[in-house]
Amino acid sequence: MKEEGNGDEVENDLRITFQEDGERGAERERLDRGARSATRARSMSRGSSRSSRSRIPPTSPYSGVQIEYRTLSIHVSESRHQDLEGSEDLKDSRKRAEDYFANLTYHELNKEQICQQLNVAADQGLSDNAAATRLQRDGRNTLPQPRVNYLKKLFFYVFGGFCSILWIGVIIFFICWQPLSNPPSPTNLALAILVLIVIMLQASFNAFQDWSTSRTMKSIVDLLPSETHVFRDGKLISLPATELVAGDIVELSMGCKVPADLRLLQHSGDIRFDRSMLTGEPDEIEGAINGTDSNFLESRNIALMGTLVVNGSGRGIVVLTGSRSVMGRIAQGMADAKEVPTLIQKEIWRFVRIIVVLTIVLALLIALTWTFWLRRDHPSYMTVVAMLNNVMGCVVAFIPEGMPIAVSLTLMMVARRMKASNILPKGLSTVETLGCVNVICSDKTGTLTQNVMSVASVAFADDVSSPKDVQEALKKQDEAAAHMSRLHAAASLCNDATFDVTTQHLLPSERKVQGNATDAALLRFTALVENHAKNDMQKVFQIPFNSKNKWMLTMVNGSRGLNEKSGHYQVYVKGAPDVLFPACTKYWSSKTASVHPLDVAIRSSIKAIQDQLSSNAERVIMLCEKTMSPVNAPGSNSFSDEVAAKALEGLTIIGILGIIDPPRPEAMRTVSECRRAGARFFMVTGDYGLTAAAIARSIGIFSQDAHIDDVQSLRADPAAHSTELREKRLDGEGRSLLIEGKELPGLTDEDWNAICEYEEIVFARTTPEQKLRIVNEFRERDNVVAVTGDGVNDAPALRAADVGVAVITGSDVAIEAADLILMDKFDSIIDAIRLGRLVFQNLQKVISYLLPAGSWSEIWPVIANVFFGVPLPLSSFLMIIICVFTDLFLSLSIIMEKAEFDLLSLPPRNHKRDHLITAKIYIQAYLFTGFMETCIAHSMFFLYLWRYAGMPVSELFFLFEGYSEGYRGYTQDQLTHFNNVGQCVYFVTLVILQWGNILAVRNRRLSLVQADPVTKPRRNPWLVVSMLISLAIAVFVTEVPGIQSLFNTAAVPIEFWFIPIPLALAILFMDEIRKLLVRTFPGGPIAKVAW
């Protein structure tokens, strides 16, 4: 097969790519012949099947782009995954998949043959016993899960990130244990084991985080509806899609996902499928009863698993399930996909690379210094083992080993908080990206409104009426109310909604309705009065409403001699006035109760009524009728094509209905809070412009006194340039704009540059493709876009957005496409944004806390020892204890911190500029807090040696091998003891100084007095608990005899437990002064470098 693009990179979404291939014609013909030969034994009549192919009708002009005469290549990838294009196994799998589908002939058999082959009656379905037997034989209808390479995962858990460097430490410590040490050094053995424990801790936390994420994903998948309607033993029942078997007869309806690969047996004549999930192309494919192509994958009488029914309804027979389906074949290749790191993971890896590079540079510098200087000039000062220990001391010192654990726990804690707030994120990238969102595009119906509609207004072409007037006139059966009877019949018949049979005893307003909200409103409106004429009419054909056409058609017979025998049918059409109005030539007059030609005055009257209802925030629906005499036979593809082609010709206006959908109570607050968070809130809806604008005003998307621009005024205004609009928006003088979908195709790049700088925008009368374009236009201009929606038509935009947000009451397609699911009210998106910003700030605080002691204050003892000849102030063991134990518990208390101030008052984070770890954080951690802690800890080390050993600091610098047997009359054991105690003094000092550091970093701007950890607003009891834990660890490490003998620690004199306490407060006091200067002089030099 000829590979498209010669093996170029595959796009990162799940798709099947159809490709032209002239070279494979002979091969396909050979496969076709093989398929026919193989099928003769299973098919009663190949002749009839083959002759049916010669009668295949031409592709409908309404079915989008034709996909005939093309072969298939399956590209296996997934969102946020990349394909291994060069894999020979993948090429082999494509070849096998092509051959597999080329041999299938289900699409070539007629209805009787396919049912006979699968041993099922089309009107009865399978029996329960037959279905159970097939289920046991074929297995459940589930997609094969990607093969998890647990060895690979385990490898990255154990050797990824900082662990890669720590393993070098393990090897070096083992070498220093033996053979380099003689006798073997138990201390180095213990250090090797300790570093192994650290590695295992990090690996365990990473594994736990992955498991937690996968569990969240499973809980989201469990939310998705998985029921399908199936005929079993002659009854239509609801059944889990996983229990479908080959031969099941499945009912399809608009909005549902195809549960398995089906061969269509019958449909409403207008059924269409969205294959974009497989092909990546937005065009809808019209269904057919007969085969339309020799290729199973191309034939339009095959409904593929996972595709969406966007129009019409139908019935099909299951031919392929589970791994045998097209979707199953795609899923089988998922093991070849590799995951792309999220933004937060990229930030962490950036930090890891910086630290690892610095560590390697310092380690090499120490090794070279020993090789070319110390070994020659001070040969007895540092042995090979001592040098390697210093190198590993450098590694252990510079790497904050506890950071990966702290990051994992921070993310898991915020995910738990989100779940408590009824928010389900699908991944870490969602949590991180929320803090960057600066544009929110929201659907209206069901998202900003309650999707609980009711008919509020009734009007005719020449008069305004009311729902009550219609009901009273119909109850009286007044002959003068023929126009109202027609209105009632049209609203009843041109309707897909039905009442739930279990609620028929209730009032119409209280009954449960199966169907969309608009149809439900019309159904409740018509149910108040019984329509006898409706009982005499039967639906012959129907074209359901869709977001592209914006109209619905129902063809009926049984009315006034209009029936199949006469060849004439009554047709009712319901839809948007601006779509149907141009096709109307007559109207029903409410004054004469008869039909009249449409004139200019009536056209003006109807337009005025439409605008009036729209300005009242009502959705306007126009009801029309006509008589049709189709040439083609009902039930055929040609019949549906003919009706669709002539639907919008010669219509007669019956009346107009105004439907109201009240806004959600929380909508106004949500819009206001999102705006306060720095995110512009736009409405993207399919409604009429005036209706959308009225609702936008009612919930605050449009300011009450705002002048609303349109595309014409935008182009005519010389001040409406993107630069001027941006300046005005940033100055709080943003403008408002209303754009309708019909204007979008004519917009230029310059127009979009200006549009993207408006503060308030409503996009009306948009299609799903236009919603997708809107999202992409904003993203191309460096905006981070969140899209909220609940409908099938919102799915493309939800997938394309940086963050797709779905409401749990929305469609399963929307939930699948979204990155974030709101389990309760719409205003929980505010909590999601707040928590997204909180996780980023808390991570910055954790890192800012860990670096001073866990990195900076640990590297200087090694530098002092190697380059300045000072006895080593801090051992590798104590460095590890600080990084992994004492500091880790304190950093966990930062995770529990509440927001320092109102996070929604901050502008969104610029993900290209505002990194997780910035130069300002390095300045704060290393040059400010780290410098003070390093100086204080060294001072305490030298103070101990002076007070207890009489060694002045001036002698200790450049002492090198002088610190040995006989120095100041001490034996080597005594000198070693002094050094061990001094190291523990340094360690205890750092532990206590970090108490002052954590009290400082928990607030970036506020004083401790303004936000203390004791009073209720910022109470954090974990802070005191973690301080006590770190103190207990310090006591354990320095006072337990077994630890002392194994790791060369020693008891610390009592005064050195108390002296660091005021010094820790001094660090806090210095940071308080820094914060005061930042608050007092926000434009000063200190404020400019403040983190």
Side-chain angles (χ1 to χ4, degrees):
M1 173 180 272
K2 205 184 213 180
E3 291 297 326
E4 183 179 26
N6 298 322
D8 289 343
E9 182 179 358
V10 180
E11 293 185 51
N12 295 337
D13 56 358
L14 201 64
R15 65 178 54 201
I16 295 176
T17 306
F18 295 93
Q19 302 156 340
E20 300 291 342
D21 190 355
E23 298 175 10
R24 290 296 303 274
E27 176 68 8
R28 184 167 62 181
E29 183 63 27
R30 184 186 63 79
L31 291 171
D32 285 346
R33 287 197 300 269
R36 295 186 190 107
S37 299
T39 312
R40 281 195 181 100
R42 294 175 293 151
S43 177
M44 294 274 305
S45 172
R46 290 301 300 157
S48 60
S49 174
R50 296 182 66 173
S51 63
S52 68
R53 289 182 57 197
S54 64
R55 297 192 299 271
I56 292 175
T59 305
S60 167
Y62 304 98
S63 62
V65 181
Q66 292 184 337
I67 56 173
E68 295 180 290
Y69 308 111
R70 286 176 284 182
T71 55
L72 176 70
S73 167
I74 299 182
H75 286 176
V76 183
S77 58
E78 191 180 12
S79 177
R80 287 190 293 273
H81 287 73
Q82 293 176 337
D83 189 62
L84 304 180
E85 180 69 22
S87 170
E88 290 299 324
D89 292 339
L90 183 56
K91 292 178 181 178
D92 290 342
S93 69
R94 290 178 182 171
K95 178 66 169 62
R96 289 194 301 269
E98 179 193 357
D99 293 342
Y100 172 77
F101 290 115
N103 282 282
L104 297 176
T105 58
Y106 296 117
H107 58 298
E108 298 178 337
L109 306 178
N110 60 36
K111 291 189 291 185
E112 292 75 18
Q113 288 174 329
I114 188 70
C115 290
Q116 186 175 21
Q117 181 170 320
L118 293 173
N119 196 21
V120 63
D123 58 342
Q124 294 292 312
L126 295 172
S127 66
D128 287 337
N129 291 335
T133 301
R134 298 185 186 194
L135 184 64
Q136 185 176 10
R137 180 193 67 195
D138 300 334
R140 295 170 68 83
N141 179 36
T142 57
L143 293 178
Q145 296 299 314
R147 295 187 299 274
V148 179
N149 191 334
Y150 290 104
L151 289 177
K152 185 178 179 181
K153 273 184 170 289
L154 182 62
F155 177 84
F156 282 107
Y157 289 152
V158 177
F159 295 98
F162 289 136
C163 293
S164 57
I165 298 297
L166 293 179
W167 274 108
I168 298 175
V170 172
I171 295 170
I172 289 177
F173 281 133
F174 271 121
I175 292 174
C176 290
W177 165 52
Q178 62 178 29
L180 293 183
S181 293
N182 189 18
S185 169
T187 300
N188 284 317
L189 175 60
L191 284 172
I193 295 172
L194 182 61
V195 176
L196 278 174
I197 292 173
V198 171
I199 292 172
M200 291 304 110
L201 280 174
Q202 289 194 13
S204 299
F205 271 97
N206 289 334
F208 179 75
Q209 180 180 306
D210 274 2
W211 173 80
S212 179
T213 302
S214 63
R215 188 177 63 170
T216 300
M217 288 297 296
K218 185 179 183 301
S219 67
I220 292 171
V221 172
D222 291 342
L223 294 172
L224 303 177
S226 57
E227 299 286 315
T228 188
H229 294 95
V230 186
F231 278 94
R232 290 277 176 90
D233 290 322
K235 298 178 182 178
L236 185 64
I237 63 172
S238 183
L239 197 70
T242 56
E243 295 185 15
L244 285 180
V245 296
D248 265 325
I249 307 297
V250 176
E251 282 281 311
L252 298 175
S253 59
M254 180 179 171
C256 77
K257 279 174 52 178
V258 180
D261 286 354
L262 308 179
R263 159 67 159 85
L264 293 179
L265 300 178
Q266 64 184 63
H267 61 76
S268 57
D270 60 339
I271 193 167
R272 298 177 194 269
F273 300 94
D274 178 7
R275 289 190 175 184
S276 60
M277 184 178 182
L278 297 174
T279 66
E281 299 173 0
D283 302 296
E284 296 173 2
I285 306 301
E286 182 179 294
I289 302 299
N290 302 318
T292 59
D293 195 280
S294 60
N295 191 324
F296 174 86
L297 295 154
E298 313 272 0
S299 184
R300 293 190 287 112
N301 66 346
I302 297 296
L304 298 177
M305 180 181 187
T307 58
L308 179 68
V309 182
V310 293
N311 216 35
S313 59
R315 183 179 299 178
I317 183 170
V318 176
V319 294
L320 297 173
T321 61
S323 60
R324 292 170 296 280
S325 65
V326 174
M327 184 67 77
R329 286 276 166 165
I330 294 174
Q332 282 180 335
M334 291 296 291
D336 293 321
K338 62 178 181 180
E339 191 169 338
V340 175
T342 62
L343 290 178
I344 193 79
Q345 289 168 335
K346 289 179 181 178
E347 289 288 336
I348 293 171
W349 270 106
R350 175 176 171 269
F351 173 68
V352 169
R353 285 195 298 270
I354 292 172
I355 293 296
V356 168
V357 168
L358 289 175
T359 301
I360 293 173
V361 169
L362 278 172
L364 289 174
L365 185 61
I366 290 171
L368 293 174
T369 301
W370 178 83
T371 303
F372 295 106
W373 175 40
L374 295 178
R375 187 167 62 93
R376 186 186 61 192
D377 295 349
H378 305 280
S380 61
Y381 172 57
M382 189 178 292
T383 64
V384 175
V385 172
M387 183 274 294
L388 290 175
N389 277 329
N390 271 324
V391 169
M392 282 319 304
C394 170
V395 171
V396 171
F398 228 105
I399 293 179
E401 290 87 352
M403 196 200 79
I405 299 174
V407 169
S408 296
L409 290 174
T410 301
L411 293 171
M412 285 190 289
M413 187 60 64
V414 170
R416 182 175 296 179
R417 288 189 185 183
M418 282 192 166
K419 193 171 183 180
S421 300
N422 292 314
I423 306 164
L424 271 182
K426 288 186 178 179
L428 298 180
S429 59
T430 302
V431 177
E432 189 273 339
T433 309
L434 279 169
C436 308
V437 169
N438 56 15
V439 169
I440 299 176
C441 296
S442 178
D443 177 45
K444 178 183 74 69
T445 305
T447 305
L448 295 173
T449 62
Q450 299 179 32
N451 204 23
V452 181
M453 300 185 186
S454 59
V455 176
S457 304
V458 176
F460 295 92
D462 54 359
D463 193 17
V464 176
S465 184
S466 69
K468 186 176 181 181
D469 293 340
V470 174
Q471 293 160 13
E472 290 178 352
L474 292 176
K475 286 179 181 178
K476 294 177 182 178
Q477 297 185 356
D478 189 351
E479 293 184 1
H483 57 295
M484 292 189 177
S485 179
R486 285 300 177 90
L487 179 77
H488 191 275
S492 301
L493 292 167
C494 197
N495 197 320
D496 262 342
T498 57
F499 285 121
D500 190 323
V501 293
T502 61
T503 60
Q504 285 287 3
H505 61 286
L506 301 175
L507 294 174
S509 60
E510 299 174 358
R511 295 175 192 169
K512 185 178 179 181
V513 177
Q514 296 174 343
N516 66 61
T518 303
D519 283 350
L522 268 62
L523 181 65
R524 289 194 170 100
F525 166 68
T526 59
L528 295 172
V529 180
E530 185 178 1
N531 185 7
H532 297 286
K534 178 183 176 182
N535 298 332
D536 300 329
M537 299 181 189
Q538 294 180 346
K539 293 184 181 180
V540 176
F541 176 75
Q542 184 171 289
I543 300 178
F545 178 89
N546 67 68
S547 54
K548 278 189 175 181
N549 294 339
K550 299 188 185 300
W551 52 266
M552 174 184 179
L553 177 147
T554 298
M555 177 180 286
V556 298
N557 61 21
S559 173
R560 298 179 288 107
L562 301 177
N563 51 47
E564 190 172 348
K565 292 182 179 179
S566 65
H568 305 293
Y569 299 92
Q570 178 73 17
V571 174
Y572 294 108
V573 183
K574 169 188 71 179
D578 48 323
V579 176
L580 299 185
F581 201 12
C584 297
T585 57
K586 300 177 183 178
Y587 73 97
W588 271 91
S589 170
S590 63
K591 296 176 180 178
T592 64
S594 59
V595 177
H596 297 274
L598 202 57
D599 55 30
V600 175
I602 294 300
R603 288 183 181 276
S604 300
S605 172
I606 292 173
K607 186 69 170 65
I609 292 171
Q610 179 188 3
D611 291 346
Q612 178 61 42
L613 296 180
S614 298
S615 63
N616 295 334
E618 295 180 28
R619 170 178 284 185
V620 182
I621 301 295
M622 180 175 282
L623 297 173
C624 304
E625 68 172 1
K626 67 181 293 187
T627 301
M628 288 190 71
S629 303
V631 175
N632 295 286
S636 65
N637 291 342
S638 300
F639 179 84
S640 62
D641 293 343
E642 181 183 0
V643 174
K646 297 181 179 180
L648 301 187
E649 295 178 2
L651 296 176
T652 299
I653 299 173
I654 300 175
I656 293 174
L657 300 179
I659 299 174
I660 192 166
D661 182 12
R664 288 180 180 265
E666 68 273 15
M668 180 175 286
R669 175 178 171 270
T670 302
V671 173
S672 174
E673 288 295 282
C674 289
R675 287 242 174 95
R676 192 168 66 84
R680 291 179 287 163
F681 200 105
F682 305 150
M683 179 191 291
V684 184
T685 179
D687 263 354
Y688 184 59
L690 288 178
T691 304
I695 294 175
R697 284 190 188 278
S698 69
I699 61 177
I701 292 180
F702 277 160
S703 303
Q704 291 296 330
D705 57 347
H707 170 73
I708 301 175
D709 294 341
D710 55 22
V711 173
Q712 287 72 27
S713 61
L714 181 151
R715 289 172 172 169
D717 187 356
H721 189 271
S722 58
T723 305
E724 287 81 1
L725 289 170
R726 182 186 301 111
E727 292 175 353
K728 287 188 176 181
R729 177 168 63 83
L730 296 177
D731 291 339
E733 301 176 3
R735 293 165 61 172
S736 304
L737 178 66
L738 174 64
I739 302 180
E740 295 206 4
K742 62 184 179 182
E743 298 170 318
L744 292 179
L747 296 177
T748 63
D749 285 343
E750 187 176 346
D751 293 332
W752 276 109
N753 290 336
I755 289 169
C756 290
E757 296 301 333
Y758 271 82
E759 180 67 27
E760 302 173 346
I761 308 179
V762 169
F763 296 94
R765 277 288 183 256
T766 56
T767 64
E769 290 80 7
Q770 290 170 340
K771 289 184 180 182
L772 179 61
R773 182 185 177 187
I774 291 166
V775 171
N776 289 332
E777 293 287 352
F778 275 95
R779 291 190 68 204
E780 287 172 4
R781 288 159 179 81
D782 288 336
N783 292 288
V784 180
V785 182
V787 171
T788 66
D790 68 334
V792 171
N793 60 332
D794 298 317
L798 287 170
R799 288 193 187 101
D802 294 286
V803 181
V805 182
V807 184
I808 189 58
T809 53
S811 68
D812 59 325
V813 179
I815 292 173
E816 281 185 310
D819 302 299
L820 194 77
I821 300 170
L822 306 180
M823 303 293 293
D824 193 11
K825 295 183 178 179
F826 180 58
D827 60 357
S828 54
I829 191 176
I830 301 169
D831 293 326
I833 294 174
R834 183 185 292 111
L835 289 171
R837 295 182 178 185
L838 178 63
V839 66
F840 195 83
Q841 288 213 347
N842 280 356
L843 279 176
Q844 285 188 320
K845 290 179 180 180
V846 166
I847 293 169
S848 184
Y849 166 77
L850 290 174
L851 292 182
S855 180
W856 190 257
S857 299
E858 292 181 351
I859 195 62
W860 278 103
V862 179
I863 294 173
N865 177 247
V866 174
F867 297 99
F868 297 99
V870 176
L872 185 63
L874 189 65
S875 68
S876 297
F877 167 72
L878 294 175
M879 292 177 188
I880 295 174
I881 295 299
I882 290 173
C883 289
V884 181
F885 296 101
T886 59
D887 271 3
L888 178 61
F889 284 101
L890 279 165
S891 68
L892 296 184
S893 67
I894 300 180
I895 298 172
M896 308 303 296
E897 282 288 339
K898 299 175 184 176
E900 180 179 349
F901 38 75
D902 184 8
L903 294 176
L904 296 182
S905 64
L906 300 176
R909 182 176 65 84
N910 187 325
H911 67 100
K912 292 185 176 180
R913 185 184 66 241
D914 303 327
H915 294 292
L916 180 65
I917 299 145
T918 62
K920 293 180 178 180
I921 290 180
Y922 283 121
I923 291 172
Q924 168 74 18
Y926 286 164
L927 302 184
F928 184 70
T929 307
F931 176 78
M932 289 188 291
E933 288 191 357
T934 301
C935 291
I936 292 171
H938 276 90
S939 298
M940 296 298 290
F941 173 75
F942 293 130
L943 177 63
Y944 164 77
L945 291 180
W946 177 71
R947 290 190 61 179
Y948 283 83
M951 301 176 188
V953 65
S954 58
E955 287 185 4
L956 294 174
F957 276 88
F958 302 104
L959 187 57
F960 292 110
E961 65 271 12
Y963 192 79
S964 58
E965 182 80 29
Y967 175 64
R968 284 190 169 265
Y970 294 116
T971 64
Q972 186 62 51
D973 289 342
Q974 288 175 315
L975 292 174
T976 301
H977 175 74
F978 287 140
N979 193 23
N980 291 344
V981 176
Q983 289 176 349
C984 290
V985 168
Y986 193 107
F987 165 73
V988 169
T989 302
L990 278 184
V991 169
I992 296 175
L993 290 180
Q994 282 291 80
W995 297 354
N997 182 26
I998 198 169
L999 290 172
V1001 301
R1002 64 184 295 270
N1003 298 315
R1004 298 178 64 169
R1005 294 289 185 272
L1006 297 179
S1007 167
L1008 183 67
V1009 178
Q1010 295 172 307
D1012 64 85
V1014 179
T1015 54
K1016 188 175 181 180
R1018 292 287 305 283
R1019 182 179 297 159
N1020 188 354
W1022 297 101
L1023 196 62
V1024 177
V1025 173
S1026 58
M1027 286 181 179
L1028 294 176
I1029 292 174
S1030 67
L1031 179 62
I1033 292 172
V1035 172
F1036 176 80
V1037 167
T1038 58
E1039 299 296 330
V1040 174
I1043 300 294
Q1044 290 177 346
S1045 61
L1046 186 60
F1047 292 104
N1048 296 325
T1049 61
V1052 175
I1054 188 66
E1055 65 266 31
F1056 289 97
W1057 289 96
F1058 291 97
I1059 295 175
I1061 295 176
L1063 297 175
L1065 293 176
I1067 290 177
L1068 175 62
F1069 180 71
M1070 291 297 295
D1071 198 66
E1072 288 290 307
I1073 294 175
R1074 180 193 65 83
K1075 293 172 186 173
L1076 178 62
L1077 292 173
V1078 171
R1079 294 195 302 270
T1080 307
F1081 306 104
I1086 296 178
K1088 289 181 180 179
V1089 298
W1091 68 298

